[in-house]
Amino acid sequence: MLLEKLLSQSFTSAFNLFNHQQLIKPLFWGCSKKFSAPLLVVPIRGSFWERDIKGPRYRKKTERNYLDDMKYGIKELKNEVQLWKEEMSEKFQYDPKVYMPDDSEIVWTFDTKEKLNQWVCTSDSDNKDGFSHCDLTLSKNKKGLFSGFLDCRVPKDGQIKESGYCNIRCLRARKSFKRDSFFDWQMFTHLILRIRGDGRSYMLNLTTTGYFDVMWHDIYNYILFTRGGPYWQVAKIPFSKFFLSSKGRIQDKQDPIPLDKITNIGITCAGKTPGPFQLEIDYIGVHFDGNHTEEFAYEMYNVPSFIVGV
Amino acid sequence: MALHRAAYSSFLSRLAPFGLSFSKVVRCVSPENYGWLQTLRCLADSSQVSEQLKGEDRREALKSQQIPKIKRPPFAKNLFLGIFDKEILAYPEVLNKEELTDLNGMVEVVERYFKEKVDSKKIDNEAVIPEETLQGLKDLGLFGQQIPVEYGGLGLNATEFARLAEITSLDGAIAVTLAAHQSIGLKGILISGNEEQKAKYLPKLATGEHIAAFCLTEPGSGSDAASIQTKATLSKDEKTFYLNGEKIWISNGGIADIFTVFARTEQLNERHEKVESISAFIVERKFGGITSGKPEDKMGIRGSNTCSVHFDNTPVPVENMLGKVGDGFKVAMNILNSGRFSMGSSAAGFLKELLGVTVEHAINRVQFKKPLAEFHMIQEKIAKITCSIYAVESMAYLTAGLLDTLESPDCSMEAAMVKVASSEVAWWSISECLQILGGLGYMKDYPFERYLRDSRIMMIFEGTNEILRLYISLVGCQHAGVELKDVVRKLRNPFMNPAFTIQKLLQRSRQKNDRVKLSMDLRGYVHPSLAIAAEWLEYSVMRLQYGVELVLARHGKVVVDHQMELKRLADVAIDVYAMTAVLARASRSYCIGLKNADHEVKIAYTFCANAMKRIRENVKDLEEGPYMNNDRNYQELASTIFKNRGYAATHPLTRNWY
């Protein structure tokens, strides 16, 4: 009886959350009423419905000047129409690329300043979450150089428990008129990178932002192990090895990566080893290995209920 | 709103906590698959207990509170009925953390000894193992590996024994000396000996003070062990047997102090008639009347001592009989059956070593401005050798795992499969390694020719591969025959059982067209990345069962006389077992994320594809029968040759016109 009562209470409060100022409510993860039990307590405002992709904490409120926006928009219109024309002509020509086994395509190179502008550098110090800083610059041999300083000190604001990350991420794939689009890599099986690292392990992130708020933060991760030393290395990582995480938490329910729905790619430097780091990147591309048939490298067993940690 | 399917399902799965139902295709693990899980839990418990204990006590405690053994039906026998025990696809976890650490320490020591102190080339040249080398082996405790701790042995279980065999096999002569001593020589005392016999003989055997030998083969009796002629006659006072006869090709025959001897005994049955049967005896050299012939000059394993042993009125006290009167044949078979499994890991041990040397050569040797490693035919050879080694290794440790984790394991068939597969793989792989080395491999400076010679014996001793193939398929057919008795009877009288026949024809139409219906869901028992290979395995299991049914229906009880068909069945069964072991191991490695696990997955796919191809071919041959699959031709050709006492075709230069 008590459980049922608690259950109904939690759902009513979930639906009434616009009126209530309550932040914390127990959330039930049980499947049927019989076995319901509160397993964790999370702020409902952050878990049931999200207003903002950046989260309330990181939204910067700026005063918008509509006149400036319009001026900028009209200036952009010319480029967008040009882009749209190209898209249309491509559509009517209908000459899709055909890939054969062992074909690769280089998607990003880092040899000019303009190309580096397609990447966004972020680190915890940007949001006053920490003290790391990083930069993506042109190295002296005309390659991209992702470098900076990883700092694991935690700011003493009483809220943050861990700190220390640096990240680069490419701009989202888009179509004309600033419409969102995706990278479609269904023909490919591997991600290839030509890099020169410092011996640290980096995290590769393939973002697959979805339509609903629960899918906004879907990121598929895999580790990029680097060698220190003067030699370049080519890392060839199967897409099947990328695993799903959301908001930095590896998900219990995994799924193969939807290769036609990739929105961004990023590289993170984080961990418990503070200090300077640098990763020189020649190119990032995709590769089609005809012999690679694996769809997803992780187990997908449906474990019987209430068996944890197997 | 166009939602991608996968994204949609991932979205739905995230809604599940909110009590919203959804259907999603996920593999299910059935509850019975958690047998191994229980094992793991027990392991966890035992390691907790061991925190409080120290040193030897801890090891004792661990041994005593072992994992409860699981009772399971015989795996390989049931394959002949098309029954596949899915739990076997969870590769056995036998050793806990401490046992594994202990074992690795032991392996390291033995490996160092073999690398530094054992000169295989010298042993091979001089055809004798130096006394100090033997003493070193004894000091390491290698003469009492499987003898329980209370009798002064190492008390290793099958898995640990198999692991050490990987190292000791680096020298063929030493491996055979050790195997003759403990895998067969003293195994009789371990398996069938009573307490007094164990207490009297095992401590000295464990230290290597006494060396054991196994005396079964006679001039007139090789594979047919039931036909031995050595006689044991009971004295009038019924206290002593007198042994008379000759045993040949006895490994350790010249150096052994304790012999397990099989001889004919006469006794009276209930009707007071004289009946002859075979009994086993423990015979000490000091009993007298034992002479050893001169050591044989052999092709391989030259350092091991092989000679004939004569028994001339050797007195053996009655209490030295192993088991009861007439138990001899059973004892012999038990000893041989239980010793074979370690040959798999032995083969894997030296093959891995040889592969390393070969690969080194292929990388460094440049021809046509390219290293050998870049030539595709060399790559193919290396890959095939790798797959074979992997299969043999997986089979050996799976079998050892079964022996260790099952309650009263019935693994003689599995062990025979391991022996056949490993001996053939060893011979073929070494030959291929030698081929890659070209001329160098043929030279005596390199170890390859020695390994080739040494490994040839593996196909011959401990039951020739032909006999073992017959053993595998006949035991399988016998097991299946009991269940299929009714089916076979009806199949053999189709017109008397029209309804049954029509039903069976319908069932078989899929098998006839080689489109087997898969209903066991084996793909759910391995890592999803191996699902396709698991389906191949399932196909193979179904084909084996079809083959058994075909052969039994065709020949009934006289199936015994159709050896070529039995050989095919045995080959199919061996391949199925190998596929099972390979898949189980690769799946385990990939799930727990061992180093190079994706390489293992690729090996598994490659091996299974080839194995399935062989199985398809073999079952097709069985289906087509002797007139289509050349069996009849083989028989007729051979009979002509035998009639002619040699090659019968006339020389191509012969003229019969002038």
Side-chain angles (χ1 to χ4, degrees):
Chain A
M1 281 305 288
L2 180 72
L3 279 177
E4 268 178 43
K5 203 174 157 190
L6 271 172
L7 188 75
S8 62
Q9 213 179 28
S10 88
F11 271 93
T12 34
S13 66
F15 289 117
N16 293 338
L17 94 150
F18 309 120
N19 309 331
H20 285 252
Q21 288 301 308
Q22 285 172 292
L23 284 180
I24 312 278
K25 274 284 169 192
L27 182 71
F28 288 82
W29 291 80
C31 300
S32 66
K33 282 181 185 173
K34 200 174 154 196
F35 293 113
S36 305
L39 291 185
L40 36 133
V41 176
V42 286
I44 273 182
R45 200 166 71 178
S47 63
F48 190 71
W49 179 73
E50 290 192 48
R51 210 181 278 263
D52 188 342
I53 194 163
K54 289 206 165 180
R57 186 181 152 84
Y58 301 109
R59 170 54 62 190
K60 287 183 183 118
K61 280 189 182 146
T62 43
E63 287 296 315
R64 297 185 75 177
N65 185 337
Y66 288 97
L67 197 65
D68 281 358
D69 281 3
M70 280 166 73
K71 276 184 194 163
Y72 178 72
I74 286 168
K75 211 165 69 185
E76 285 288 288
L77 201 58
K78 201 178 136 194
N79 300 334
E80 297 303 314
V81 170
Q82 184 60 35
L83 210 58
W84 179 76
K85 265 176 154 172
E86 282 167 20
E87 277 168 19
M88 280 298 136
S89 80
E90 202 169 282
K91 192 172 179 180
F92 283 109
Q93 279 167 4
Y94 197 69
D95 186 17
K97 279 186 186 168
V98 177
Y99 298 97
M100 301 302 283
D102 293 336
D103 276 357
S104 316
E105 195 174 272
I106 289 173
V107 187
W108 288 281
T109 49
F110 295 81
D111 49 354
T112 58
K113 273 261 157 44
E114 290 72 53
K115 284 176 182 167
L116 297 188
N117 286 341
Q118 294 173 8
W119 292 77
V120 181
C121 277
T122 45
S123 61
D124 50 10
S125 60
D126 296 349
N127 295 310
K128 298 203 174 76
D129 285 350
F131 305 97
S132 314
H133 53 85
C134 65
D135 223 348
L136 182 65
T137 50
L138 208 58
S139 72
K140 62 178 177 216
N141 21 323
K142 298 272 177 265
K143 314 281 187 218
L145 182 68
F146 173 40
S147 62
F149 190 90
L150 185 71
D151 200 331
C152 293
R153 280 178 296 151
V154 179
K156 291 167 182 158
D157 64 353
Q159 279 191 304
I160 293 167
K161 291 177 193 122
E162 279 175 302
S163 189
Y165 74 84
C166 295
N167 184 57
I168 51 170
R169 186 163 101 143
C170 76
L171 296 180
R172 179 168 180 169
R174 66 173 189 94
K175 295 188 286 190
S176 54
F177 303 114
K178 310 274 180 190
R179 289 171 299 166
D180 285 342
S181 168
F182 303 96
F183 296 110
D184 185 356
W185 290 340
Q186 279 192 314
M187 268 310 289
F188 299 99
T189 55
H190 289 73
L191 187 72
I192 48 172
L193 306 99
R194 187 161 182 269
I195 49 160
R196 188 154 71 155
D198 53 359
R200 277 180 187 269
S201 306
Y202 294 84
M203 176 100 91
L204 290 172
N205 311 314
L206 294 173
T207 314
T208 56
T209 302
Y211 182 88
F212 296 104
D213 56 358
V214 279
M215 295 144 74
W216 281 350
H217 304 283
D218 281 7
I219 297 184
Y220 283 82
N221 306 106
Y222 199 68
I223 319 293
L224 173 68
F225 299 102
T226 66
R227 276 198 299 256
Y231 297 108
W232 284 92
Q233 69 183 95
V234 177
K236 184 177 156 212
I237 301 165
F239 285 124
S240 60
K241 296 227 172 191
F242 282 79
F243 53 85
L244 174 63
S245 69
S246 184
K247 288 189 176 178
R249 302 279 197 276
I250 299 174
Q251 296 296 299
D252 280 350
K253 299 253 180 197
Q254 288 283 333
D255 247 323
I257 182 166
L259 281 174
D260 57 340
K261 290 281 182 269
I262 290 168
T263 55
N264 309 75
I265 182 169
I267 301 173
T268 305
C269 176
K272 299 219 157 46
T273 326
F277 68 91
Q278 71 169 41
L279 176 71
E280 204 172 351
I281 312 166
D282 184 0
Y283 60 75
I284 299 176
V286 282
H287 177 79
F288 174 30
D289 179 348
N291 199 28
H292 187 87
T293 49
E294 184 176 78
E295 202 190 354
F296 195 52
Y298 306 99
E299 291 162 273
M300 300 276 281
Y301 300 126
N302 199 4
V303 181
S305 310
F306 309 114
I307 289 187
V308 183
V310 282
Chain B
M1 179 178 60
L3 254 179
H4 184 260
R5 187 178 50 79
Y8 186 60
S9 73
S10 96
F11 163 65
L12 284 181
S13 67
R14 230 83 57 77
L15 285 182
F18 296 91
L20 298 176
S21 65
F22 64 100
S23 65
K24 187 177 171 217
V25 184
V26 273
R27 299 273 112 226
C28 284
V29 182
S30 70
E32 71 257 21
N33 208 15
Y34 279 87
W36 294 116
L37 224 156
Q38 285 176 353
T39 317
L40 285 177
R41 291 225 178 91
C42 294
L43 283 179
D45 292 346
S46 66
S47 63
Q48 275 166 18
V49 171
S50 63
E51 296 285 313
Q52 302 146 9
L53 299 163
K54 285 201 180 109
E56 274 303 298
D57 299 340
R58 186 164 79 184
R59 201 172 160 77
E60 289 290 301
L62 282 175
K63 290 270 177 207
S64 59
Q65 59 139 60
Q66 272 294 344
I67 314 145
K69 301 214 166 177
I70 310 160
K71 187 133 187 77
R72 287 209 308 221
F75 175 75
K77 280 184 185 171
N78 271 349
L79 281 180
F80 282 72
L81 278 167
I83 300 170
F84 188 92
D85 183 3
K86 294 164 191 166
E87 215 169 288
I88 206 169
L89 286 173
Y91 204 70
E93 298 286 347
V94 179
L95 307 177
N96 60 29
K97 205 173 146 196
E98 272 111 44
E99 284 171 326
L100 188 62
T101 322
D102 284 0
L103 178 63
N104 284 339
M106 219 183 306
V107 165
E108 204 180 302
V109 174
V110 178
E111 201 162 19
R112 203 179 316 130
Y113 182 80
F114 269 76
K115 291 260 157 74
E116 289 168 7
K117 299 278 168 63
V118 176
D119 185 356
S120 298
K121 197 169 175 211
K122 190 172 156 221
I123 293 176
D124 187 59
N125 276 342
E126 294 174 6
V128 67
I129 305 172
E131 194 48 49
E132 61 271 17
T133 309
L134 272 183
Q135 193 52 47
L137 296 170
K138 288 172 187 172
D139 294 343
L140 285 171
L142 293 179
F143 276 70
Q145 293 177 39
Q146 285 203 292
I147 297 177
V149 185
E150 61 262 35
Y151 298 115
L154 295 180
L156 304 184
N157 61 22
T159 306
E160 293 164 327
F161 180 66
R163 180 68 184 93
L164 278 189
E166 263 186 56
I167 315 295
T168 52
S169 72
L170 292 179
D171 185 284
I174 291 179
V176 169
T177 305
L178 286 178
H181 170 73
Q182 58 193 345
S183 285
I184 49 178
L186 61 83
K187 207 53 166 290
I189 308 179
L190 266 185
I191 297 178
S192 321
N194 55 32
E195 277 311 309
E196 291 86 62
Q197 288 166 345
K198 282 183 182 174
K200 186 173 174 197
Y201 291 110
L202 287 182
K204 283 192 173 169
L205 288 168
T207 55
E209 195 181 333
H210 285 168
I211 293 178
F214 180 81
C215 305
L216 182 64
T217 308
E218 291 182 12
S221 158
S223 297
D224 178 13
S227 69
I228 55 170
Q229 294 302 324
T230 300
K231 279 223 159 64
T233 36
L234 195 56
S235 63
K236 290 260 166 62
D237 57 0
E238 298 204 339
K239 277 186 183 158
T240 323
F241 280 101
Y242 287 95
L243 279 181
N244 278 297
E246 186 189 8
K247 299 282 184 183
I248 57 163
W249 303 331
I250 305 305
S251 301
N252 293 353
I255 54 173
D257 308 283
I258 310 287
F259 300 86
T260 306
V261 185
F262 296 87
R264 285 196 170 271
T265 42
E266 268 183 4
Q267 78 266 21
L268 302 174
N269 66 4
E270 57 271 28
R271 272 181 265 158
H272 293 276
E273 294 161 3
K274 272 191 178 170
V275 218
E276 277 200 335
S277 58
I278 297 172
S279 303
F281 301 92
I282 311 170
V283 184
E284 296 175 37
R285 192 182 277 276
K286 66 170 189 263
F287 286 166
I290 301 177
T291 43
S292 308
K294 77 167 187 32
E296 307 281 351
D297 194 11
K298 302 186 292 296
M299 168 183 167
I301 51 165
R302 292 171 50 79
S304 71
N305 179 290
T306 309
C307 61
S308 58
V309 178
H310 300 262
F311 297 96
D312 184 21
N313 261 335
T314 307
V316 183
V318 190
E319 58 269 21
N320 268 23
M321 182 180 273
L322 278 173
K324 291 198 289 286
V325 181
D327 274 357
F329 193 70
K330 214 170 72 188
V331 172
M333 290 306 117
N334 278 342
I335 293 171
L336 290 173
N337 287 342
S338 67
R340 287 188 187 113
F341 75 94
S342 69
M343 216 182 283
S345 64
S346 310
F350 66 73
L351 286 177
K352 282 191 279 188
E353 192 76 18
L354 284 187
L355 184 66
V357 183
T358 313
V359 165
E360 206 59 53
H361 173 80
I363 292 167
N364 294 327
R365 170 87 171 163
V366 178
Q367 288 290 287
F368 306 106
K369 293 177 190 157
K370 277 203 291 187
L372 290 191
E374 282 179 27
F375 291 98
H376 290 186
M377 279 202 276
I378 302 296
Q379 290 173 356
E380 184 198 357
K381 282 188 206 298
I382 294 285
K384 280 187 173 171
I385 296 169
T386 309
C387 290
S388 314
I389 299 175
Y390 187 83
V392 164
E393 199 179 32
S394 316
M395 284 166 88
Y397 283 99
L398 175 63
T399 313
L402 292 179
L403 286 169
D404 286 336
T405 51
L406 297 192
E407 188 190 325
S408 56
D410 178 8
C411 293
S412 63
M413 200 156 144
E414 283 89 342
M417 288 171 168
V418 173
K419 194 263 174 182
V420 173
S422 60
S423 56
E424 273 161 26
V425 158
W427 173 250
W428 175 84
S429 300
I430 298 172
S431 160
E432 288 292 80
C433 282
L434 205 141
Q435 186 71 17
I436 294 170
L437 262 86
L440 284 180
Y442 203 66
M443 299 301 142
K444 283 217 163 193
D445 287 342
Y446 278 76
F448 293 86
E449 60 86 31
R450 189 183 74 238
Y451 275 110
L452 191 76
R453 283 187 283 114
D454 285 355
S455 72
R456 191 59 185 83
I457 192 63
M458 292 173 72
M459 293 200 259
I460 301 170
F461 68 9
E462 294 211 33
T464 65
N465 282 9
E466 283 68 28
I467 288 289
L468 288 180
R469 280 205 165 84
L470 286 185
Y471 174 78
I472 293 165
S473 47
L474 282 178
V475 170
C477 283
Q478 197 183 25
H479 183 76
V482 179
E483 298 274 322
L484 293 177
K485 211 164 119 191
D486 208 36
V487 178
V488 170
R489 188 178 53 77
K490 285 179 180 167
L491 279 174
R492 303 194 80 188
N493 297 296
F495 295 107
M496 298 297 287
N497 304 288
F500 175 82
T501 310
I502 290 167
Q503 193 196 352
K504 202 73 197 171
L505 277 177
L506 284 173
Q507 273 177 17
R508 276 199 182 171
S509 65
R510 286 186 83 105
Q511 286 277 16
K512 277 258 159 61
N513 298 326
D514 203 10
R515 286 189 293 110
V516 185
K517 191 175 181 188
L518 307 180
S519 52
M520 285 192 273
D521 190 31
L522 290 193
R523 58 180 296 154
Y525 289 80
V526 292
H527 188 284
S529 298
L530 284 161
I532 294 166
E535 285 186 353
W536 296 345
L537 171 63
E538 193 171 339
Y539 163 87
S540 306
V541 174
M542 302 307 285
R543 288 302 263 182
L544 172 61
Q545 185 234 352
Y546 174 59
V548 170
E549 216 175 273
L550 271 182
V551 170
L552 283 180
R554 197 178 287 157
H555 304 300
K557 270 181 190 156
V558 286
V559 69
V560 188
D561 299 331
H562 294 79
Q563 296 191 348
M564 285 187 245
E565 304 200 344
L566 289 176
K567 178 194 153 230
R568 288 199 184 87
L569 279 186
D571 283 344
V572 173
I574 294 171
D575 269 333
V576 170
Y577 188 57
M579 280 169 97
T580 311
V582 163
L583 276 180
R585 170 168 168 208
S587 179
R588 171 186 180 270
S589 302
Y590 204 50
C591 287
I592 64 177
L594 293 182
K595 189 179 161 196
N596 289 341
D598 40 1
H599 172 67
E600 288 188 36
V601 170
K602 203 154 273 174
I603 291 178
Y605 266 108
T606 316
F607 178 83
C608 289
N610 278 335
M612 189 179 68
K613 219 186 272 174
R614 288 193 292 267
I615 290 169
R616 176 173 282 153
E617 193 80 351
N618 273 326
V619 176
K620 196 159 167 280
D621 280 349
L622 281 177
E623 208 173 19
E624 284 173 343
Y627 292 95
M628 300 288 283
N629 64 17
N630 257 348
D631 281 2
R632 185 71 185 193
N633 281 344
Y634 296 146
Q635 272 179 288
E636 288 180 6
L637 287 176
S639 75
T640 311
I641 303 299
F642 290 132
K643 207 181 280 170
N644 204 52
R645 300 198 153 263
Y647 187 65
T650 318
H651 196 277
L653 300 180
T654 318
R655 286 171 72 117
N656 57 0
W657 79 98
Y658 292 98

